[in-house]
Structures are given as C-alpha cells and as structure tokens.
Amino acid sequence: MEGRLANSWRLTVNDKNFIKTALLSEIRIDGRKPFEYRKISIKFGREDGSSEVQLGQTRVMGMVTAQLVQPYRDRPKEGILSIFTEFSPMADPSFEPGRPGELAVELGRIIDRGLRESRAVDTESLCILASKFVWAIRIDLHILDNGGNLVDAANIAALAALLTFRRPECSLGGEDGQEVIVHPPEIREPLPLTVHHLPIAISFGFFSNESILVIDPTHNEEAVMGGRMTTTVNANGDICAIQKSGGEGVPQRVIMQCLQLATSKAASITKQIKDAVEVVNTERALRKVKRHPTSTGVDVREKQN
Amino acid sequence: MEVDREDGRSQNQLRPLACSRNILHRAHGSASWSQGDTKVLAAVYGPKAGTKKNENPEKACIEVIWKPKTGQIGKPEKEYEMILKRTLESVCILTVNPNTTTSIIVQVVNDDGALLPSAINAACMALVDAGIPMKHLAVAICCCVAKSGYVILDPTKLEEQQKMKAFAYLVFPNSVHSVLPEGSLRVEGEPIENGIITSVTHGIMSVDDYFYCLERGRAASVKLSDFLRRNLQQQSTDSSKAG
C-alpha cells in the first residue's frame, strides 16, 4: 500500500496562494502573529516519566524507562541515553508503520543532539559500577497527531518526561562489592535524574517572498514554506544545536534574528515546563504521604523522609 | 462470599470508566478509553481505497496496528492485532464499501490490567466517531478465576499477576433498544445479546467456572453498553464537528 493516492495529502494551489498572500500582511491562517507560539499544554500520566504535550493541534506522548546494562567500552563510567521516535500512523495518513522514515530519524537526531551533546542530562551519575553496570535511559516519543512543528512538541514531551522520571535506587553489595542490588520503590524512594539545563527546540519557517519568517509553523504552513530551521537553545542563552538542512538560503541577519527570538521564547517555555513539573511533583508527594495509612496524625504539609 | 480486593471493590464491580471521542484532529475518528488506570487511545482512518493482497476485494477490509507503550513490536502485539481485527470484522458491515481498507491504530498509554478489553472498547468508539457502518457495538470485559476459586471482574495488573489462576477476555454485542415490542434481532430464537463475539482465555479453568464467567461477563456488559450509549448520545448532541 505504499504511495497510494489516498495516503498522500496535498494542499490546493488556492490554499497555498492564500497562505502566502496573507503572510505578506503579517496574518497567519490560524490568527496568530508571525512570532507567536501556539498554546502549549503539558499533562502527565499516572506513572513516573510519562508525559503528553499538546502544541495547538499537535500531540506527542513521551515515555521514559530505565534498564541496567553494560556501558559502552570507550565510556565505562557513563550511562546511556537513547531516544526512539515513533511516527504513529494515527498522526497522519501518510505515516506508514514499520521502519522510521527520514522525518522520524531527523527529529530523533535533533532531540538527541540537544539533550546528549549539550550535557543536559548528567550521564555520569547514572553509573553504578564502572565498566559493569550503568543505567540506560530510554525515551520513547509517540507522535499522536500531526498539526505541524513536531520537533518542538516532541522536545518538550521528552524534557517533561525526563524531569518527572524516577529511577530505582540501587546499592552495591555481595561479597566483593561487585553485585548490584536494585531496591523496589516501596522500600526506598526512587531518585530523579540530574538535569542541568533544559534545551528547548524552536522551529522557524522561511517563505520565498520578501524573506518572511514565522515561528512554530502549522502543517498547512509547512506544506507551503521554502525552508525550515530548528534552533535548540536554553534559558541561559546557550545555543545547544542548530539544524537547517537545505531549503532556501537566508541572509545572515535573519539567522541572528531567529536566534534572538528563540532565546526569548525558550525562557517562557522553560518556565512553563518547570511549573507543570512542580505541580505534578507536589501532587505525587502528597499521594505518597497518603500511601501509609498506619501512620496516624500525619500532617500533610510536612515532608516525609 | 466477601472478597478482599486491593482497591476495595467487590467481586462484580468495574473500575471507574472514562471515555472521550474526537480527540485527534487529523484522524477521521478517534477515542480514548480508560478503565481505572488502564488507558488506551484508538484512531481510525478510512475507508481508504484498495485492499491488501490476500484480502477479499468484494468486501471492506479492516487493518489493525497495535502500538505498545515502549519497546519493539513482538508476538503478543501481533496476537492482539489479530484478535482485534477478527472481532471488529464481525461487528462492522463489510458489504457497504467493498474494496476499501479501514485502518485502526491502537496506542497503549498505560497498562494496568484488562488491556485487550479496553482496546476493543476504544476501537469501537473510534469507529463510531469515524462513521464506519456497524451492525452493533462490541462490549468487552475481562473475568478472572482466582486460585481460591472465586470469579472477579476487571482485574488490575497486580491482581492478574499474583492472584489469578486463569482469566478470560469476553466480547459481547451491546444490548439492544428496540422500537418494536419484540426486537427483530433474534438469532435462532435467542436474543442477540446472548451471543459471544470473542472469547480468549489464559490459564486453566473448569467448565463450570467458564460458564460462571460468561454469566458475570454478560451481566456486566449490560452496564457497559448503557455507559457507552449514554456517552455516545450525549456527545453527539452537544459537539458540533466542523470538518
């Protein structure tokens, strides 16, 4: 069923011209201004490390799991971070199940570079026993609905899931201290991951006439735009990654403008993620306090160690 | 017999149900179903032109894609796909749109027991949301037989793993509200809701236990179909689909 007519979706020429002409007067088809982001809503599931992010009509679900494995030979003291992106066929009729296509691989790589190479997640704290046991963190990103700008939404989902994930605590034991004992969550509180900073991906779309620039394109705009650029920045103003693969050429001043815009947007998005995570963490802490019915007279405001 | 279940439910009590329709924008139909902590998301695309090579082009074809929460797709996922496909094929009217394929994609959001029944319920809601012609709805329920011999409905994952000797996933047609005094849907003298569409069992159980499960399951399916009916009617009156 590859390449069936029913699976491919194309915008009509009239629609395309309408979008382009509207942009000349700085009007976008969903009513936003060129540098306005869509509404972001971050929700969390019951388990630690599961998040669902909605960016306008785009919907992405993130899931973080951990496993004890042997580390890579050339990095015996570091944990492993791997990102798997699933372009689910439910997101878009043109997504086929099976092997990830170009877009899926590119999205995975952009998020991977943002998290791993900028050292956002501390992999050295994931090492339990050098050269033998380290934690391998696996991030699964499921794209549920394609409303445009999947990279940004998937990045936020990955960050939200990482911040709420808790890995089991483990200690060394055995005769020679070479065995690793993993403590179940009922015995010892699981630990959060060490995340130094939050790299936020911000995507821009370039249009051919008069070098028009928009932030956070919808999938209609993506079908019309001539080039795209994704910049991954954090709230401190550091550039973690820039991805501009092909498409139209843009002058240097436009790139600088994009970077400045991205830094200001990143600050507000970082705050939004941190607030949402804070709410969930307090909720979970309260739930854990209620988990022990035998302890009488527990003041909910007190922290339980 | 008073049974001690972890969350305080009685033997025949189901977990709180929640479902919503039309949650995705690109899919033609979508639904989310949750029973307690088990949550499943289903999306429907169709009918699309053409059928797969081995399928009968005289009829509509149904394709199911099961997406687990994490990890690779293996044999259990393929089995779920097959069970779901056959169940939905018997529920949909396949002669209306010949030589077409309807794709149903099921995404597991959280698994806390009774995963396959939740998926079947979610898929049915999504098919209704997409407007695919169906004879009746399929209502699915999970019944377990415990090691000590009693039967409980809708187990959580903890109960499935620790206490249960065997369990059965049962799918019944939903109860009929007929305009005529005698419902015209009678198959060989018995009302249609006494039929079983699908039954999958795991583990060993005696014949008597199985029939007891069927009885309990059928009683619960009446409540489930009431819930479905209320939910679908309410949503169709106050939501206006604008494309």
Side-chain angles (χ1 to χ4, degrees):
Chain A
M1 284 200 276
E2 282 77 57
R4 288 196 314 192
L5 206 63
N7 278 350
S8 58
W9 164 83
R10 267 185 255 278
L11 263 186
T12 62
V13 175
N14 285 348
D15 279 333
K16 287 188 188 173
N17 289 337
F18 185 78
I19 295 176
K20 285 188 193 161
T21 338
L23 278 172
L24 286 173
S25 339
E26 299 206 343
I27 302 172
R28 293 170 79 170
I29 45 170
D30 54 357
R32 284 186 288 158
K33 300 210 198 64
F35 302 138
E36 205 180 307
Y37 231 78
R38 281 177 288 183
K39 181 170 172 304
I40 304 175
S41 95
I42 305 174
K43 288 194 214 128
F44 297 89
R46 290 283 296 184
E47 286 189 357
D48 292 334
S50 81
S51 67
E52 191 178 304
V53 170
Q54 202 159 358
L55 174 64
Q57 288 191 353
T58 303
R59 210 170 159 125
V60 181
M61 186 170 77
M63 207 76 74
V64 175
T65 46
Q67 221 188 354
L68 271 178
V69 296
Q70 244 189 350
Y72 293 137
R73 278 216 204 112
D74 52 347
R75 296 204 187 112
K77 291 200 183 136
E78 282 186 21
I80 301 170
L81 184 72
S82 47
I83 300 180
F84 290 86
T85 23
E86 284 269 347
F87 271 39
S88 173
M90 71 163 66
D92 198 300
S94 60
F95 293 166
E96 299 277 341
R99 288 199 49 180
E102 288 183 352
L103 287 172
V105 173
E106 189 184 0
L107 191 147
R109 285 294 298 140
I110 296 176
I111 299 181
D112 192 64
R113 262 189 298 153
L115 285 174
R116 190 207 305 276
E117 293 177 21
S118 64
R119 308 236 179 272
V121 178
D122 185 20
T123 44
E124 286 184 0
S125 63
L126 297 173
C127 174
I128 309 297
L129 196 57
S131 313
K132 294 239 177 76
F133 287 112
V134 295
W135 284 108
I137 306 286
R138 182 195 162 111
I139 307 176
D140 281 281
L141 294 165
H142 298 275
I143 314 284
L144 301 175
D145 207 359
N146 181 11
N149 200 5
L150 295 171
V151 183
D152 294 15
N155 196 337
I156 299 176
L159 290 172
L162 280 170
L163 286 174
T164 51
F165 177 65
R166 301 278 178 270
R167 64 170 177 87
E169 192 179 328
C170 43
S171 46
L172 296 172
E175 304 94 46
D176 50 354
Q178 294 294 305
E179 257 180 50
V180 175
I181 310 165
V182 179
H183 299 280
E186 292 86 36
I187 313 279
R188 289 220 201 153
E189 273 299 304
L191 308 166
L193 297 173
T194 321
V195 180
H196 296 301
H197 62 93
L198 296 177
I200 312 278
I202 314 266
S203 292
F204 296 88
F206 304 117
F207 294 83
S208 41
N209 36 358
E210 317 263 317
S211 62
I212 296 175
L213 178 69
V214 297
I215 205 173
D216 187 17
T218 61
H219 76 282
N220 287 325
E221 290 167 342
E222 281 182 348
V224 182
M225 65 190 186
R228 81 175 297 145
M229 182 171 80
T230 304
T231 57
T232 310
V233 294
N234 67 10
N236 302 335
D238 302 323
I239 300 174
C240 304
I242 299 182
Q243 172 101 350
K244 186 191 182 305
S245 39
E248 284 200 352
V250 276
Q252 202 179 1
R253 56 168 177 82
V254 175
I255 305 272
M256 294 310 294
Q257 188 190 8
C258 290
L259 287 173
Q260 281 164 355
L261 266 171
T263 318
S264 57
K265 294 288 175 200
S268 58
I269 296 177
T270 308
K271 184 172 178 307
Q272 203 176 346
I273 298 178
K274 284 194 174 158
D275 287 342
V277 169
E278 190 62 42
V279 168
V280 163
N281 283 341
T282 29
E283 219 182 279
R284 293 223 173 114
L286 285 176
R287 231 192 298 141
K288 281 186 187 135
V289 168
K290 289 182 192 140
R291 209 202 273 169
H292 304 282
T294 50
S295 54
T296 49
V298 172
D299 192 349
V300 186
R301 286 188 295 273
E302 274 178 7
K303 271 210 177 140
Q304 187 152 35
N305 296 58
Chain B
M1 188 197 330
E2 259 314 303
V3 161
D4 200 17
R5 290 178 84 169
E6 290 234 340
D7 44 7
R9 283 186 286 157
S10 72
Q11 260 182 301
N12 298 327
Q13 209 177 349
L14 302 171
R15 284 177 288 182
L17 303 167
C19 69
S20 47
R21 273 199 299 143
N22 201 15
I23 29 189
L24 300 178
H25 296 95
R26 296 300 297 276
H28 297 151
S30 55
S32 132
W33 179 277
S34 62
Q35 272 175 231
D37 278 342
T38 302
K39 188 162 174 211
V40 178
L41 188 61
V44 170
Y45 278 100
K48 296 186 275 193
T51 49
K52 280 194 173 146
K53 275 190 215 158
N54 299 333
E55 301 281 348
N56 184 5
E58 305 275 327
K59 291 191 176 169
C61 159
I62 294 187
E63 177 196 15
V64 178
I65 300 167
W66 181 285
K67 290 274 178 193
K69 191 167 64 163
T70 178
Q72 300 258 337
I73 296 183
K75 300 245 168 60
E77 282 78 36
K78 291 281 176 207
E79 188 194 352
Y80 286 150
E81 284 179 9
M82 185 213 56
I83 297 173
L84 213 62
K85 177 177 146 82
R86 295 205 187 154
T87 307
L88 295 172
E89 271 178 356
S90 64
V91 168
C92 296
I93 303 177
L94 297 176
T95 46
V96 174
N97 294 318
N99 202 17
T100 60
T101 306
T102 303
S103 304
I104 298 157
I105 302 112
V106 176
Q107 171 73 54
V108 176
V109 177
N110 196 19
D111 179 12
D112 192 27
L115 186 61
L116 188 60
S118 309
I120 295 175
N121 291 330
C124 265
M125 294 276 288
L127 285 170
V128 170
D129 194 43
I132 308 289
M134 299 201 282
K135 296 177 211 155
H136 50 74
L137 293 178
V139 173
I141 195 122
C142 177
C143 312
C144 312
V145 180
K147 291 191 181 112
S148 28
Y150 54 85
V151 169
I152 60 172
L153 289 179
D154 199 15
T156 62
K157 204 169 184 87
L158 212 60
E159 290 174 339
E160 265 180 18
Q161 285 166 346
Q162 289 174 353
K163 294 192 194 164
M164 297 306 124
K165 179 174 71 168
F167 53 92
Y169 297 134
L170 300 165
V171 184
F172 300 98
N174 69 333
S175 56
V176 176
H177 272 187
S178 188
V179 182
L180 305 175
E182 300 107 32
S184 38
L185 292 163
R186 284 188 105 91
V187 180
E188 287 176 4
E190 274 199 61
I192 197 168
E193 54 257 30
N194 282 356
I196 307 170
I197 302 177
T198 301
S199 159
V200 182
T201 61
H202 293 254
I204 305 177
M205 57 170 89
S206 69
V207 179
D208 287 331
D209 279 340
Y210 181 65
F211 281 127
Y212 189 54
C213 280
L214 283 182
E215 216 187 283
R216 298 262 119 253
R218 192 168 295 131
S221 75
V222 174
K223 292 187 221 143
L224 266 177
S225 24
D226 282 337
F227 173 76
L228 274 172
R229 180 168 277 119
R230 261 180 298 143
N231 216 287
L232 288 171
Q233 280 176 337
Q234 181 190 38
Q235 289 210 344
S236 63
T237 45
D238 52 31
S239 75
S240 58
K241 261 199 185 184

